[in-house]
Amino acid sequence: MPHNVVPAVVNVDLEGPRISRHVYGHFAEHLGRCIYGGFYVGPDSDIPNEGGIRLDVVEALRALDIPNLRWPGGCFADEYHWKDGIGPKEDRAVMVNTHWGGVEENNHFGTHEFMALCELLGAEPYISGNVGSGTVREMSEWVEYLTREGDSPMVRLRKANGREEPWKVEYWGLGNETWGCGGNMSAEQYALEARKYATYCRSYGENKLYKIAAGAADFDYGWTETLMKQLGHLGCQRVNNSMYHAVSVHYYTMAGTWADKGSATEFTEEEYYTTMAKAARVDELLTGHANVMDCYDPGKEVGLVLDEWGTWWTVEPGTNPGFLYQQNTMRDALVAGVHFDVFHRHADRLVMANIAQTVNVLQAMVLTDPDSGALVLTPTYHVFEMNKGHQDAASLRVDTPAGLPSREVEGRELSTVSVSASRKDGRLLVSLSNLDAEGAADVELDLRGGTVGEVTSRILTAGALQAHNTPETPDAVAPRAHEGVTATDKGLRVHLPAHSFVTVEGRIA
Ligand code: AHR
């Protein structure tokens, strides 16, 4: 196997833009077993819970310092009518979840339950409002219900449902995928709708809303341009609270096509590299959307939000195709590692990102067994945990003067080593991924502008890319101390075994 040695320069004293903690955001949709059976089992369950919310899931997720949780969808959001999900549970309307398996939704998990979940997690709520089949009044009343103090119709309703004080809910999504499941609109049509919805979603008191317009699919830069043009027209920005403050985009990674996405656990080396090449394209995606935004907003006041990302595989055999339940391997972990490196590099424009989704759906952190209730932490979970020190840290540029090792995948060059770094509270955190399926690499960190001591390192890897965790083997892929870091006269040499994710931390003096 070729052994790659990669020189990388990091000036630890030259702080770049702050990495918003919100790029480590999450997403929970009423889809499959994400909410019901995942986050929520109901108060009568044998599984320990608080108000129906699973405490083992909460405990596991608290270790990730989840900054925000997007809810209730996804496509579900544009069919969700929030008033169906408040008040006594036995009186709540039942609806059909037409997007996700056509199952009946009893609305037992609604606004109050979601806010309780956010409080348990210590996460900020990000509510995705209904533009597709809702009304401006409905969304504006939801804002009033959640965030207004004093006396008004929605405040009275909230109090009647047992909540005196308003909540703090800053983040509001104005619909979801409005080019598709959220209303099949054209960009021009939606941009006008978004302006209207933004106008009537009011900031009450200290609760200043941050409104996020539903954005493009993948590389549809025209959609972003249309939304940005509308902002230019009104002069926009955060100070103008009648408009949106950010635009979103969604990007999923798969080995195959939408029609045949590929198995989560049974894949060839070729499919692995195709996956990694697609994951790495998130850099091109963010660069493209950011470039469009720069033309209208060179001061970077409008945020870019990647509020759905992650792997999307063919569902696990024997599970409901509408539930999007998939396993999660070492390959998924590396997809996450690559995304985070890219996010850190785009810290000047990317204000939030949300992995799809947190529990039991797509690239999840946590999988729960529907029969035994057993909980498993996925390889992706471990990347979120190992990387959490980057949240709200100052990004540090990583220069690789000799380039990065690469291989050609479907006509494109895929860098097989990925590195990002940040500093916070006098500590350096470097994340490194070796995407090479079989060959090791060494990264020679040339640390300038400070010395780094008290170095610790952890590694996530496994014998096979297909390795994953199950209730029987929960730690098949789990982090452990990494002995492969040595001091050099310039800094540190970090050994990266094949298909591994490594973090290195140290105190900067
Ligand atoms: O995350 C699953 C689905 O993917 C969401 O509901 C939708 O927004 C996207 O197409």
CSV table of all heavy atoms in Angstrom, one decimal, residues 423-468:
chain,number,residue,atom,x,y,z
A,423,ARG,N,-9.6,26.6,17.4
A,423,ARG,CA,-9.1,26.9,18.7
A,423,ARG,C,-10.2,27.5,19.6
A,423,ARG,O,-11.0,28.3,19.1
A,423,ARG,CB,-7.8,27.8,18.6
A,423,ARG,CG,-7.9,29.2,18.9
A,423,ARG,CD,-6.6,29.9,18.9
A,423,ARG,NE,-6.2,30.3,20.3
A,423,ARG,CZ,-4.9,30.6,20.6
A,423,ARG,NH1,-4.0,30.7,19.7
A,423,ARG,NH2,-4.6,31.0,21.8
A,424,LYS,N,-10.2,27.1,20.8
A,424,LYS,CA,-11.2,27.7,21.8
A,424,LYS,C,-10.7,27.5,23.2
A,424,LYS,O,-10.1,26.5,23.5
A,424,LYS,CB,-12.5,26.9,21.6
A,424,LYS,CG,-13.7,27.4,22.5
A,424,LYS,CD,-15.0,26.8,22.1
A,424,LYS,CE,-15.1,25.4,22.6
A,424,LYS,NZ,-16.5,24.8,22.3
A,425,ASP,N,-10.8,28.6,23.9
A,425,ASP,CA,-10.4,28.6,25.4
A,425,ASP,C,-9.0,28.1,25.5
A,425,ASP,O,-8.6,27.3,26.4
A,425,ASP,CB,-11.3,27.6,26.2
A,425,ASP,CG,-12.8,28.1,26.1
A,425,ASP,OD1,-13.0,29.3,25.9
A,425,ASP,OD2,-13.7,27.2,26.2
A,426,GLY,N,-8.1,28.5,24.6
A,426,GLY,CA,-6.7,28.2,24.7
A,426,GLY,C,-6.4,26.8,24.3
A,426,GLY,O,-5.2,26.3,24.5
A,427,ARG,N,-7.3,26.1,23.6
A,427,ARG,CA,-7.0,24.7,23.2
A,427,ARG,C,-7.2,24.5,21.7
A,427,ARG,O,-8.0,25.2,21.1
A,427,ARG,CB,-8.0,23.7,23.9
A,427,ARG,CG,-7.8,23.7,25.5
A,427,ARG,CD,-8.5,22.5,26.1
A,427,ARG,NE,-7.9,21.2,25.8
A,427,ARG,CZ,-6.8,20.7,26.4
A,427,ARG,NH1,-6.2,21.4,27.3
A,427,ARG,NH2,-6.3,19.6,26.1
A,428,LEU,N,-6.3,23.7,21.2
A,428,LEU,CA,-6.3,23.4,19.8
A,428,LEU,C,-7.1,22.1,19.6
A,428,LEU,O,-6.9,21.1,20.4
A,428,LEU,CB,-4.9,23.2,19.3
A,428,LEU,CG,-4.7,22.7,17.8
A,428,LEU,CD1,-5.1,23.7,16.8
A,428,LEU,CD2,-3.3,22.2,17.6
A,429,LEU,N,-8.0,22.0,18.6
A,429,LEU,CA,-8.6,20.8,18.2
A,429,LEU,C,-8.4,20.6,16.7
A,429,LEU,O,-8.8,21.4,15.9
A,429,LEU,CB,-10.1,20.8,18.6
A,429,LEU,CG,-10.9,19.6,18.1
A,429,LEU,CD1,-10.4,18.3,18.7
A,429,LEU,CD2,-12.4,19.7,18.5
A,430,VAL,N,-7.8,19.4,16.4
A,430,VAL,CA,-7.6,19.1,14.9
A,430,VAL,C,-8.4,17.8,14.7
A,430,VAL,O,-8.3,16.8,15.4
A,430,VAL,CB,-6.1,18.9,14.6
A,430,VAL,CG1,-5.9,18.7,13.1
A,430,VAL,CG2,-5.3,20.1,15.1
A,431,SER,N,-9.1,17.8,13.6
A,431,SER,CA,-9.9,16.6,13.2
A,431,SER,C,-9.2,16.1,11.8
A,431,SER,O,-9.0,17.0,10.9
A,431,SER,CB,-11.3,16.9,13.0
A,431,SER,OG,-11.9,17.3,14.2
A,432,LEU,N,-9.0,14.8,11.7
A,432,LEU,CA,-8.4,14.3,10.5
A,432,LEU,C,-9.1,13.0,10.1
A,432,LEU,O,-9.4,12.2,10.9
A,432,LEU,CB,-6.9,14.0,10.8
A,432,LEU,CG,-6.1,15.1,11.5
A,432,LEU,CD1,-5.9,14.8,13.0
A,432,LEU,CD2,-4.7,15.1,10.9
A,433,SER,N,-9.3,12.9,8.8
A,433,SER,CA,-9.9,11.7,8.3
A,433,SER,C,-9.0,11.1,7.2
A,433,SER,O,-8.5,11.9,6.3
A,433,SER,CB,-11.3,12.0,7.6
A,433,SER,OG,-12.2,12.6,8.5
A,434,ASN,N,-8.8,9.9,7.3
A,434,ASN,CA,-8.1,9.2,6.2
A,434,ASN,C,-9.2,8.4,5.4
A,434,ASN,O,-9.7,7.4,5.9
A,434,ASN,CB,-7.0,8.3,6.7
A,434,ASN,CG,-6.3,7.6,5.5
A,434,ASN,OD1,-6.5,7.9,4.4
A,434,ASN,ND2,-5.5,6.6,5.9
A,435,LEU,N,-9.5,8.8,4.2
A,435,LEU,CA,-10.6,8.1,3.5
A,435,LEU,C,-10.0,6.9,2.7
A,435,LEU,O,-10.8,6.2,2.1
A,435,LEU,CB,-11.2,9.1,2.5
A,435,LEU,CG,-11.7,10.4,3.1
A,435,LEU,CD1,-12.4,11.3,2.1
A,435,LEU,CD2,-12.6,10.2,4.4
A,436,ASP,N,-8.7,6.8,2.6
A,436,ASP,CA,-8.2,5.6,1.9
A,436,ASP,C,-8.7,4.3,2.5
A,436,ASP,O,-8.5,4.1,3.7
A,436,ASP,CB,-6.7,5.7,1.9
A,436,ASP,CG,-6.1,4.8,0.8
A,436,ASP,OD1,-6.4,3.6,0.8
A,436,ASP,OD2,-5.3,5.4,0.0
A,437,ALA,N,-9.3,3.5,1.7
A,437,ALA,CA,-9.9,2.3,2.2
A,437,ALA,C,-8.8,1.3,2.8
A,437,ALA,O,-9.1,0.6,3.8
A,437,ALA,CB,-10.7,1.6,1.1
A,438,GLU,N,-7.6,1.4,2.2
A,438,GLU,CA,-6.6,0.4,2.6
A,438,GLU,C,-5.3,0.9,3.1
A,438,GLU,O,-4.5,0.2,3.8
A,438,GLU,CB,-6.4,-0.6,1.4
A,438,GLU,CG,-7.6,-1.5,1.2
A,438,GLU,CD,-7.5,-2.3,-0.1
A,438,GLU,OE1,-6.4,-2.3,-0.7
A,438,GLU,OE2,-8.5,-2.9,-0.4
A,439,GLY,N,-5.0,2.1,2.7
A,439,GLY,CA,-3.6,2.6,2.9
A,439,GLY,C,-3.6,3.6,4.1
A,439,GLY,O,-4.5,4.4,4.2
A,440,ALA,N,-2.6,3.6,4.9
A,440,ALA,CA,-2.4,4.5,6.0
A,440,ALA,C,-1.9,5.9,5.5
A,440,ALA,O,-1.4,5.9,4.3
A,440,ALA,CB,-1.5,4.0,7.1
A,441,ALA,N,-1.9,6.9,6.3
A,441,ALA,CA,-1.3,8.2,5.9
A,441,ALA,C,-0.8,8.8,7.2
A,441,ALA,O,-1.2,8.4,8.3
A,441,ALA,CB,-2.3,9.1,5.3
A,442,ASP,N,0.2,9.7,7.0
A,442,ASP,CA,0.7,10.4,8.2
A,442,ASP,C,0.6,11.9,7.9
A,442,ASP,O,1.0,12.3,6.8
A,442,ASP,CB,2.2,10.1,8.4
A,442,ASP,CG,2.3,8.8,9.2
A,442,ASP,OD1,2.1,8.8,10.4
A,442,ASP,OD2,2.7,7.8,8.5
A,443,VAL,N,0.0,12.7,8.8
A,443,VAL,CA,-0.1,14.1,8.6
A,443,VAL,C,1.0,14.8,9.5
A,443,VAL,O,1.0,14.5,10.7
A,443,VAL,CB,-1.5,14.6,8.9
A,443,VAL,CG1,-1.5,16.1,8.8
A,443,VAL,CG2,-2.5,14.0,8.0
A,444,GLU,N,1.9,15.5,8.9
A,444,GLU,CA,2.9,16.3,9.6
A,444,GLU,C,2.4,17.6,9.9
A,444,GLU,O,2.3,18.5,9.0
A,444,GLU,CB,4.2,16.4,8.8
A,444,GLU,CG,4.8,15.1,8.3
A,444,GLU,CD,5.8,14.6,9.4
A,444,GLU,OE1,5.8,15.1,10.5
A,444,GLU,OE2,6.5,13.6,9.0
A,445,LEU,N,1.9,17.9,11.1
A,445,LEU,CA,1.3,19.2,11.5
A,445,LEU,C,2.4,20.1,11.9
A,445,LEU,O,3.2,19.9,12.8
A,445,LEU,CB,0.4,19.0,12.7
A,445,LEU,CG,-1.0,18.4,12.4
A,445,LEU,CD1,-1.7,18.2,13.7
A,445,LEU,CD2,-1.8,19.2,11.4
A,446,ASP,N,2.6,21.2,11.1
A,446,ASP,CA,3.5,22.2,11.3
A,446,ASP,C,2.8,23.3,12.0
A,446,ASP,O,2.0,24.1,11.4
A,446,ASP,CB,4.1,22.7,9.9
A,446,ASP,CG,5.1,23.8,10.0
A,446,ASP,OD1,5.3,24.3,11.2
A,446,ASP,OD2,5.7,24.1,9.0
A,447,LEU,N,2.9,23.3,13.3
A,447,LEU,CA,2.1,24.3,14.2
A,447,LEU,C,2.9,25.5,14.4
A,447,LEU,O,4.0,25.5,15.0
A,447,LEU,CB,1.7,23.6,15.5
A,447,LEU,CG,1.0,22.3,15.3
A,447,LEU,CD1,0.7,21.6,16.7
A,447,LEU,CD2,-0.4,22.5,14.6
A,448,ARG,N,2.4,26.6,13.9
A,448,ARG,CA,3.1,27.9,14.0
A,448,ARG,C,2.3,28.9,14.9
A,448,ARG,O,1.1,28.8,15.0
A,448,ARG,CB,3.3,28.5,12.6
A,448,ARG,CG,4.0,27.6,11.7
A,448,ARG,CD,4.2,28.2,10.3
A,448,ARG,NE,4.9,27.2,9.5
A,448,ARG,CZ,5.1,27.4,8.2
A,448,ARG,NH1,4.6,28.5,7.6
A,448,ARG,NH2,5.7,26.5,7.4
A,449,GLY,N,3.0,29.8,15.5
A,449,GLY,CA,2.4,30.9,16.3
A,449,GLY,C,2.1,30.4,17.7
A,449,GLY,O,1.3,31.1,18.4
A,450,GLY,N,2.6,29.3,18.1
A,450,GLY,CA,2.4,28.9,19.5
A,450,GLY,C,2.9,27.4,19.6
A,450,GLY,O,3.0,26.8,18.6
A,451,THR,N,3.1,27.0,20.9
A,451,THR,CA,3.4,25.6,21.1
A,451,THR,C,2.2,24.9,21.7
A,451,THR,O,1.4,25.5,22.4
A,451,THR,CB,4.6,25.5,22.0
A,451,THR,OG1,4.3,26.2,23.2
A,451,THR,CG2,5.9,26.0,21.4
A,452,VAL,N,2.2,23.7,21.4
A,452,VAL,CA,1.0,22.9,21.8
A,452,VAL,C,1.5,21.7,22.7
A,452,VAL,O,2.3,20.9,22.3
A,452,VAL,CB,0.2,22.3,20.6
A,452,VAL,CG1,-0.9,21.5,21.0
A,452,VAL,CG2,-0.3,23.5,19.7
A,453,GLY,N,0.9,21.7,23.9
A,453,GLY,CA,1.3,20.7,24.9
A,453,GLY,C,0.1,19.9,25.4
A,453,GLY,O,-1.1,20.2,25.0
A,454,GLU,N,0.3,19.0,26.3
A,454,GLU,CA,-0.7,18.2,26.9
A,454,GLU,C,-1.6,17.6,25.8
A,454,GLU,O,-2.9,17.6,25.9
A,454,GLU,CB,-1.6,19.0,27.9
A,454,GLU,CG,-0.9,19.7,29.1
A,454,GLU,CD,-1.8,20.7,29.8
A,454,GLU,OE1,-3.1,20.5,29.7
A,454,GLU,OE2,-1.3,21.6,30.3
A,455,VAL,N,-1.0,17.0,24.9
A,455,VAL,CA,-1.7,16.5,23.7
A,455,VAL,C,-2.4,15.2,24.0
A,455,VAL,O,-1.8,14.3,24.6
A,455,VAL,CB,-0.7,16.3,22.5
A,455,VAL,CG1,-1.5,15.7,21.3
A,455,VAL,CG2,-0.2,17.7,22.1
A,456,THR,N,-3.7,15.1,23.6
A,456,THR,CA,-4.4,13.8,23.7
A,456,THR,C,-5.0,13.5,22.3
A,456,THR,O,-5.3,14.5,21.5
A,456,THR,CB,-5.5,13.8,24.7
A,456,THR,OG1,-6.4,14.9,24.4
A,456,THR,CG2,-5.0,14.0,26.1
A,457,SER,N,-5.2,12.3,22.0
A,457,SER,CA,-5.8,11.9,20.7
A,457,SER,C,-6.7,10.7,20.8
A,457,SER,O,-6.5,9.9,21.7
A,457,SER,CB,-4.6,11.6,19.8
A,457,SER,OG,-5.1,11.2,18.5
A,458,ARG,N,-7.8,10.8,20.0
A,458,ARG,CA,-8.7,9.6,19.9
A,458,ARG,C,-8.9,9.2,18.5
A,458,ARG,O,-8.7,10.0,17.6
A,458,ARG,CB,-10.0,10.0,20.5
A,458,ARG,CG,-10.0,10.1,22.1
A,458,ARG,CD,-11.3,10.0,22.7
A,458,ARG,NE,-12.2,11.2,22.3
A,458,ARG,CZ,-13.5,11.2,22.5
A,458,ARG,NH1,-14.1,10.1,23.0
A,458,ARG,NH2,-14.2,12.2,22.2
A,459,ILE,N,-9.2,7.9,18.3
A,459,ILE,CA,-9.4,7.4,17.0
A,459,ILE,C,-10.7,6.6,16.9
A,459,ILE,O,-11.0,5.9,17.8
A,459,ILE,CB,-8.2,6.5,16.6
A,459,ILE,CG1,-8.3,6.1,15.1
A,459,ILE,CG2,-8.0,5.3,17.5
A,459,ILE,CD1,-7.0,5.5,14.5
A,460,LEU,N,-11.3,6.7,15.7
A,460,LEU,CA,-12.5,5.9,15.4
A,460,LEU,C,-12.1,5.1,14.1
A,460,LEU,O,-11.9,5.8,13.1
A,460,LEU,CB,-13.7,6.8,15.2
A,460,LEU,CG,-15.0,6.1,15.0
A,460,LEU,CD1,-15.5,5.6,16.4
A,460,LEU,CD2,-16.1,7.1,14.4
A,461,THR,N,-12.1,3.9,14.2
A,461,THR,CA,-11.8,3.0,13.0
A,461,THR,C,-12.3,1.6,13.3
A,461,THR,O,-12.8,1.4,14.4
A,461,THR,CB,-10.3,3.1,12.6
A,461,THR,OG1,-10.2,2.5,11.3
A,461,THR,CG2,-9.4,2.3,13.6
A,462,ALA,N,-12.2,0.8,12.3
A,462,ALA,CA,-12.7,-0.6,12.5
A,462,ALA,C,-12.0,-1.4,11.4
A,462,ALA,O,-11.4,-0.9,10.5
A,462,ALA,CB,-14.2,-0.6,12.3
A,463,GLY,N,-12.1,-2.8,11.6
A,463,GLY,CA,-11.4,-3.7,10.7
A,463,GLY,C,-12.0,-3.5,9.3
A,463,GLY,O,-11.3,-3.7,8.3
A,464,ALA,N,-13.2,-3.2,9.2
A,464,ALA,CA,-13.9,-3.1,7.8
A,464,ALA,C,-14.7,-1.8,7.8
A,464,ALA,O,-15.2,-1.3,8.8
A,464,ALA,CB,-14.8,-4.3,7.6
A,465,LEU,N,-14.8,-1.3,6.6
A,465,LEU,CA,-15.6,-0.1,6.3
A,465,LEU,C,-17.1,-0.4,6.7
A,465,LEU,O,-17.8,0.5,7.0
A,465,LEU,CB,-15.5,0.3,4.9
A,465,LEU,CG,-14.2,1.0,4.5
A,465,LEU,CD1,-14.0,1.0,3.0
A,465,LEU,CD2,-14.3,2.5,5.0
A,466,GLN,N,-17.4,-1.7,6.5
A,466,GLN,CA,-18.9,-2.0,6.7
A,466,GLN,C,-19.2,-2.3,8.2
A,466,GLN,O,-20.3,-2.5,8.6
A,466,GLN,CB,-19.2,-3.3,6.0
A,466,GLN,CG,-19.1,-3.2,4.5
A,466,GLN,CD,-17.7,-3.2,3.9
A,466,GLN,OE1,-16.7,-3.4,4.6
A,466,GLN,NE2,-17.6,-3.1,2.6
A,467,ALA,N,-18.2,-2.1,9.1
A,467,ALA,CA,-18.4,-2.4,10.5
A,467,ALA,C,-19.5,-1.4,11.1
A,467,ALA,O,-19.6,-0.3,10.7
A,467,ALA,CB,-17.1,-2.2,11.3
A,468,HIS,N,-20.3,-2.0,11.9
A,468,HIS,CA,-21.4,-1.2,12.5
A,468,HIS,C,-21.8,-1.7,13.9
A,468,HIS,O,-21.4,-2.9,14.2
A,468,HIS,CB,-22.6,-1.1,11.6
A,468,HIS,CG,-23.2,-2.5,11.2
A,468,HIS,ND1,-22.7,-3.2,10.1
A,468,HIS,CD2,-24.1,-3.2,11.7
A,468,HIS,CE1,-23.3,-4.3,10.0
A,468,HIS,NE2,-24.2,-4.4,11.0
